[in-house]
């Protein structure tokens, strides 16, 4: 009988590197979808509003100014969200407001959803539900999860948070926060695909690397959720698949 002791620091470093690379890929994907439109909206708004606002304008001109102002405001919101996503630390655990993080992730994918004609219903309630995690890890988790949902080309996305009492991994029951991402599709095929991808867990990082970017997404999400002490599953009801992430709530100081 042999007892083998192995230093796992290299494995942990490889896990963190794989997750960081996945996060960077997902953030780059959402950034590229709105940079061009952002420049157009802001430049036009700054140039035209400065000249037109001081003049007596017709109703049509006033409506155009309002549309440009709305576009500039949206662009500013997206740029601030992306800047925070890119600047957050990836390896330091801290108290993270999950409601605020979900709101920023939804803002980050808004352009992708608009291009694909996917309406998004986001109900995260009041902020203040916190989890103990790396802010960068949470950002990567949420953006990857939402991008996986949009890749299924659904008719509608619904995102909501709720507090629940759950026994994670068969442990004691404790207060948790549960994120539901409901993906409503025109047929049962996309829902079945999401469920299969979530259940296909890799046995090792080498196997994860061979799955390709699309095959990796939900496997990476599941890995990251487990690293944070939570649970991830996909619940299918006909043509609707709900991606469910459960994380323990950080108790207030």
């Amino acid at each position: 009988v042999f007892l083998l002791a192995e230093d796992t620091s290299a494995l942990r470093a490889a896990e963190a590197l794989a997750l960081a690379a996945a996060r960077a890929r997902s953030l780059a994907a959402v950034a590229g979808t709105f940079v061009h439109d952002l420049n157009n909206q802001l430049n036009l708004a700054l140039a035209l509003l400065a000249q037109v606002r001081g003049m007596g304008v017709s109703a049509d001109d006033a409506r155009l100014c309002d549309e440009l102002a709305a576009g500039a405001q949206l662009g500013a919101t997206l740029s601030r969200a992306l800047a925070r996503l890119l600047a957050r630390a990836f390896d330091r655990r801290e108290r993270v407001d999950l409601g605020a993080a979900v709101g920023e992730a939804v803002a980050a994918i808004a352009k992708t959803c608009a291009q694909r004609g996917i309406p998004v219903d986001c109900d995260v309630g009041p902020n203040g539900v916190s989890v103990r995690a790396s802010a960068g890890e949470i950002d990567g988790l949420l953006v990857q999860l939402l991008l996986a949902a949009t890749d299924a080309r659904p008719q509608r996305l619904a995102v909501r948070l709720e507090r629940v009492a759950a026994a994670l991994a068969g442990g004691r029951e404790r207060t948790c926060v549960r994120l539901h991402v409901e993906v409503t599709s025109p047929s049962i095929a996309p829902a079945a695909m999401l469920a299969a991808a979530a259940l296909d867990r890799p046995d090792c990082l080498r196997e994860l690397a061979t799955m390709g970017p699309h095959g990796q997404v939900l496997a990476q999400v599941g890995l990251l959720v487990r690293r944070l002490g939570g649970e991830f599953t996909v619940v299918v009801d006909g043509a609707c698949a709900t991606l469910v992430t459960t994380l323990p709530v950080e108790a207030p100081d």
Side-chain angles (χ1 to χ4, degrees):
V1 177
F2 295 89
L3 175 64
L4 177 63
E6 182 179 356
D7 184 2
T8 61
S9 59
L11 177 61
R12 294 300 179 192
E15 279 186 1
L17 182 61
L19 293 170
R23 170 177 172 263
R25 283 195 302 269
S26 61
L27 290 177
V30 296
T33 62
F34 68 79
V35 167
H36 183 267
D37 283 3
L38 171 63
N39 287 333
N40 287 343
Q41 294 281 6
L42 292 178
N43 289 337
L44 284 173
L46 291 174
L48 292 177
L49 290 177
Q51 298 180 34
V52 175
R53 281 298 185 186
M55 305 175 182
V57 297
S58 67
D60 288 341
D61 288 338
R63 179 171 49 81
L64 176 60
C65 288
D66 291 341
E67 291 176 356
L68 289 172
Q73 184 177 8
L74 175 60
T77 300
L78 292 173
S79 63
R80 286 195 300 270
L82 181 63
R84 283 192 292 266
L85 292 176
L86 292 172
R88 282 175 171 163
F90 190 79
D91 57 354
R92 187 181 70 251
R93 294 290 178 97
E94 57 187 302
R95 188 189 300 275
V96 178
D97 187 323
L98 192 59
V102 171
E104 291 181 354
V106 170
I109 68 154
K111 177 64 179 178
T112 299
C113 291
Q115 287 178 328
R116 298 177 180 179
I118 304 171
V120 181
D121 178 19
C122 181
D123 179 16
V124 298
N127 293 343
V129 181
S130 298
V131 297
R132 176 68 62 178
S134 155
E137 284 182 321
I138 285 291
D139 292 336
L141 163 66
L142 295 173
V143 173
Q144 284 181 276
L145 188 61
L146 293 173
L147 284 178
T150 61
D151 284 343
R153 302 284 176 158
Q155 292 176 315
R156 183 178 67 88
L157 282 182
V159 182
R160 61 185 176 89
L161 281 176
E162 64 175 353
R163 281 179 179 263
V164 296
L168 296 172
R172 65 179 177 85
E173 190 173 272
R174 60 179 301 180
T175 303
C176 297
V177 59
R178 183 165 287 163
L179 171 66
H180 301 260
V181 179
E182 297 178 1
V183 184
T184 303
S185 303
S187 68
I188 63 174
M193 177 193 70
L194 287 172
L199 292 173
D200 187 18
R201 296 179 179 178
D203 293 326
C204 62
L205 288 174
R206 183 179 296 108
E207 183 179 339
L208 179 64
T210 63
M211 294 172 68
H214 293 290
Q216 290 174 358
V217 174
L218 290 185
Q220 288 169 338
V221 167
L223 171 62
L224 182 49
V225 171
R226 291 192 295 275
R227 277 168 55 92
L228 296 176
E231 292 181 342
F232 175 71
T233 188
V234 176
V235 179
V236 176
D237 182 10
C240 178
T242 304
L243 314 180
V244 183
T245 301
T246 306
L247 293 170
V249 169
E250 175 71 5
D253 295 330

